[in-house]
Amino acid sequence: VSTDVVPDAAGAKLTYRGGPVLQNVAVAPVFWGSGVQFTTQIPAFYKAAIASSYYDWLSEYNTTSPSQKIGEGTMVGAANDAGTGTINLSDSQIQSALGTLIDQGKVPAPTANTYYPIHFAPGITITASDGSKSCQIFCAYHGSFNHGGKTIYYGISPDQGGSCAGGCGSDPSLLSNTTSVSSHELVE
C-alpha cells in the first residue's frame, strides 16, 4: 500500500477555455437495439444523479466570463429505438440515427442543455471517430455534432457485459458498472 500523498496545489485554478457548459442538463436517454439491459433502472439513475450532491459538486466548474452556473438537471424522457439491426456501428451512423430520431419527434427536441446518453444492447460494437472500438479501447465516450442548426450533445454507453465485463468496472454488479461509466460521461 502506497503512503504517498499528493498535496493540492495551493491556489490552483482551472482555466476556462470556452467549451460548452450544460448549465441545467436535460437528460433524454435512448435505448438502442433489442435487449438493452436496465431500461427501468437507467432513467431512475439519471434522475437521482442530476438532483444530488454528486451533481451539485460540479459548481466548481462555474465560469465568470461568460457567467455560467452548473445546477441540477431534469429528466425529459427516455426513448426506445430498435436501431438499425447493425451490430457494428460507426459514430457517424449513430449521429445520423440520433438526428433522425430528433427530426421524427421520437426523442425530446434539443435545447442548449439536452444530453442524449445512448445505451446499447449486448453484442453491438461501436467504432468511435478515431477508429477505436468499444470494450477494446474505450468503455464509453461523449461528443457533439451539429444538426438542424443546433449542437447535439450525446454519450455512448456500450453494454457493460460481454467484452466490457471486468475491463470497464470491477464491481460484480453489471448495473453498477453501467452507472459508473454513464455518470462519468454525464459529468464530462
Side-chain angles (χ1 to χ4, degrees):
V1 174
S2 173
T3 58
D4 294 340
V5 176
V6 178
D8 291 338
K13 296 275 185 188
L14 294 174
T15 302
Y16 176 62
R17 304 229 186 249
V21 174
L22 280 61
Q23 295 185 72
N24 299 96
V25 68
V27 180
V30 176
F31 302 113
W32 185 305
S34 178
V36 176
Q37 299 190 65
F38 312 118
T39 57
T40 302
Q41 294 95 329
I42 288 171
F45 154 74
Y46 282 118
K47 186 175 182 180
I50 58 179
S52 71
S53 59
Y54 173 75
Y55 214 76
D56 293 340
W57 157 75
L58 295 175
S59 66
E60 75 177 285
Y61 298 107
N62 290 347
T63 65
T64 55
S65 183
S67 178
Q68 300 175 103
K69 300 202 181 311
I70 301 172
E72 294 182 357
T74 58
M75 275 290 299
V76 293
N80 292 310
D81 182 54
T84 62
T86 304
I87 60 169
N88 294 299
L89 294 167
S90 70
D91 190 61
S92 61
Q93 288 173 308
I94 295 165
Q95 290 177 12
S96 177
L98 180 55
T100 298
L101 291 173
I102 291 167
D103 293 343
Q104 294 174 346
K106 293 184 177 179
V107 296
T111 68
N113 285 311
T114 307
Y115 171 66
Y116 300 95
I118 306 170
H119 293 266
F120 293 85
I124 297 175
T125 299
I126 297 111
T127 302
S129 59
D130 66 359
S132 62
K133 294 196 181 301
S134 57
C135 304
Q136 293 175 12
I137 302 296
F138 66 84
C139 297
Y141 68 89
H142 63 277
S144 65
F145 64 99
N146 293 316
H147 180 78
K150 296 192 177 198
T151 302
I152 309 300
Y153 302 102
Y154 67 103
I156 301 295
S157 293
D159 179 75
Q160 295 300 303
S163 61
C164 278
C168 294
S170 59
D171 195 296
S173 165
L174 186 59
L175 177 59
S176 291
N177 293 332
T178 299
T179 58
S180 175
V181 299
S182 299
S183 65
H184 176 88
E185 299 312 321
L186 173 68
V187 299
E188 283 191 341

